[in-house]
Amino acid sequence: HAEDELSRSSHSNPSKSLVNGIKTSPASNSPKSSLSVPMGPPVYVDLAYIPNHCSGKNTDPEFFKRVRASYYVVSGNDAANGEPSRVVLDALLEGKSQWGENLQVTLIPTHDTEVTREWYQQTHEKQQELNIMVLASSSTVVMQDESFPACKIEF
């Protein structure tokens, strides 16, 4: 009886999986495949947390084209798993370059990593062109007469 239930639950919907919360078929298990995501206007937010610790598995330029934030938090600190991913940081540049408006964007890394340091140095000119500011790990935020390290932002 338990085997039957396990068999049914594992086979109840074998052809569907989720990528970024969107049902896909097994052939499109990558965020870079053509997903049937309805096009719509971009969403503007004050603060966005880059998904999955800035892993390249779930975030691509389309995310940055559609989710336009004044502040993006990069929380990755696991080089062995590619977090943060240089591909995602480059996707920010690519996505922002297609906004058509030069709004200020601030990137808040929660950890000082080799990937973010190298990306910052190698793309600094492009960041300036796109009006992207990257906070250093020693940056301080002042809110309501209280100051604290920028990497300590919690929500």
Side-chain angles (χ1 to χ4, degrees):
H1 184 271
E3 285 179 11
D4 289 342
E5 282 185 31
L6 178 61
S7 176
R8 272 187 301 226
S9 66
S10 65
H11 296 294
S12 63
N13 199 356
S15 66
K16 298 286 183 183
S17 63
L18 293 178
V19 174
N20 287 339
I22 300 166
K23 289 184 180 180
T24 63
S25 66
S28 57
N29 59 1
S30 163
K32 289 156 186 67
S33 344
S34 61
L35 298 175
S36 58
V37 178
M39 291 306 297
V43 176
Y44 291 86
V45 296
D46 292 328
L47 179 72
Y49 186 92
I50 299 177
N52 201 24
H53 305 289
C54 198
S55 167
K57 297 173 188 170
N58 301 95
T59 308
D60 61 5
E62 191 64 29
F63 172 81
F64 296 105
K65 290 177 197 172
R66 302 202 46 197
V67 178
R68 300 180 181 186
S70 298
Y71 299 88
Y72 289 102
V73 177
V74 176
S75 71
N77 190 27
D78 186 356
N81 283 318
E83 300 167 1
S85 168
R86 169 69 189 250
V87 170
V88 174
L89 297 171
D90 289 339
L92 167 63
L93 298 175
E94 183 182 333
K96 173 104 172 39
S97 70
Q98 297 183 30
W99 285 13
E101 49 196 335
N102 200 18
L103 300 174
Q104 170 73 47
V105 167
T106 303
L107 193 65
I108 305 171
T110 60
H111 298 89
D112 183 17
T113 67
E114 187 175 329
V115 170
T116 53
R117 279 192 308 265
E118 285 179 3
W119 176 81
Y120 176 81
Q121 292 170 352
Q122 294 169 359
T123 65
H124 187 67
E125 192 172 298
K126 184 73 170 174
Q127 294 166 43
Q128 287 181 318
E129 176 187 315
L130 293 172
N131 203 14
I132 297 173
M133 179 176 67
V134 179
L135 294 182
S137 60
S138 61
S139 295
T140 302
V141 173
V142 178
M143 295 176 76
Q144 299 177 347
D145 300 325
E146 182 180 349
S147 68
F148 49 89
C151 66
K152 297 294 181 188
I153 292 178
E154 296 178 13
F155 52 96

XYZ file of all heavy atoms in Angstrom, residues 17-19 24-33 35 57-58:
113
model
N 7.771 20.560 -13.830
C 8.633 20.963 -12.732
C 8.555 22.477 -12.634
O 7.950 23.131 -13.474
C 10.071 20.502 -12.981
O 10.589 21.131 -14.132
N 9.152 23.045 -11.604
C 9.111 24.491 -11.416
C 10.492 25.087 -11.633
O 11.472 24.583 -11.128
C 8.632 24.845 -10.005
C 7.186 24.512 -9.677
C 6.890 24.881 -8.231
C 6.239 25.242 -10.598
N 10.548 26.166 -12.374
C 11.751 26.972 -12.526
C 11.321 28.395 -12.253
O 10.465 28.934 -12.945
C 12.362 26.851 -13.945
C 13.519 27.826 -14.104
C 12.819 25.435 -14.209
N 7.258 24.122 -16.009
C 7.968 23.883 -17.262
C 7.956 22.392 -17.552
O 7.652 21.583 -16.701
C 9.442 24.345 -17.165
O 10.097 23.562 -16.168
C 9.546 25.810 -16.829
N 8.326 22.038 -18.757
C 8.462 20.632 -19.100
C 9.906 20.225 -18.816
O 10.767 21.068 -18.691
C 8.117 20.422 -20.573
O 9.073 21.068 -21.377
N 10.197 18.920 -18.739
C 11.557 18.481 -18.440
C 12.589 19.017 -19.428
O 13.719 19.231 -19.078
C 11.468 16.957 -18.509
C 10.035 16.627 -18.328
C 9.265 17.797 -18.861
N 12.210 19.248 -20.664
C 13.172 19.736 -21.657
C 13.608 21.164 -21.373
O 14.633 21.599 -21.854
C 12.559 19.651 -23.056
N 12.842 21.896 -20.585
C 13.218 23.283 -20.306
C 13.471 23.462 -18.818
O 12.778 24.180 -18.135
C 12.136 24.243 -20.795
O 10.903 23.938 -20.210
N 14.486 22.749 -18.311
C 14.790 22.830 -16.896
C 15.811 23.918 -16.586
O 16.270 24.036 -15.479
C 15.278 21.477 -16.372
C 16.518 21.011 -17.097
O 17.027 21.699 -17.972
N 17.001 19.832 -16.748
N 16.167 24.710 -17.551
C 17.114 25.795 -17.352
C 16.384 27.119 -17.465
O 15.513 27.280 -18.299
C 18.205 25.721 -18.430
O 18.884 26.940 -18.510
N 16.769 28.110 -16.616
C 16.102 29.397 -16.721
C 16.378 30.077 -18.052
O 15.669 30.977 -18.447
C 16.689 30.206 -15.561
C 17.936 29.511 -15.175
C 17.771 28.083 -15.589
N 17.394 29.620 -18.766
C 17.728 30.247 -20.028
C 16.939 29.647 -21.193
O 17.022 30.107 -22.305
C 19.233 30.149 -20.270
C 19.969 31.076 -19.314
C 21.370 30.620 -19.084
C 22.074 31.433 -18.048
N 21.588 31.332 -16.703
N 16.163 28.568 -20.934
C 15.334 28.019 -21.999
C 14.143 28.934 -22.207
O 13.851 29.780 -21.405
C 14.797 26.644 -21.658
O 15.419 26.017 -20.640
N 10.860 29.893 -21.669
C 9.729 29.627 -20.804
C 8.537 30.403 -21.331
O 8.694 31.471 -21.902
C 10.035 30.083 -19.376
C 11.202 29.386 -18.682
C 11.468 30.032 -17.334
C 10.904 27.918 -18.508
N 22.020 29.464 -11.441
C 21.037 28.432 -11.762
C 19.639 29.010 -11.963
O 18.818 28.398 -12.620
C 20.989 27.380 -10.658
C 22.274 26.628 -10.471
C 22.207 25.727 -9.258
C 23.569 25.131 -8.968
N 23.596 24.444 -7.683
N 19.355 30.162 -11.342
C 17.989 30.673 -11.362
C 17.840 32.118 -11.811
O 16.722 32.608 -11.878
C 17.373 30.560 -9.967
C 17.339 29.143 -9.474
O 18.230 28.713 -8.766
N 16.336 28.391 -9.877
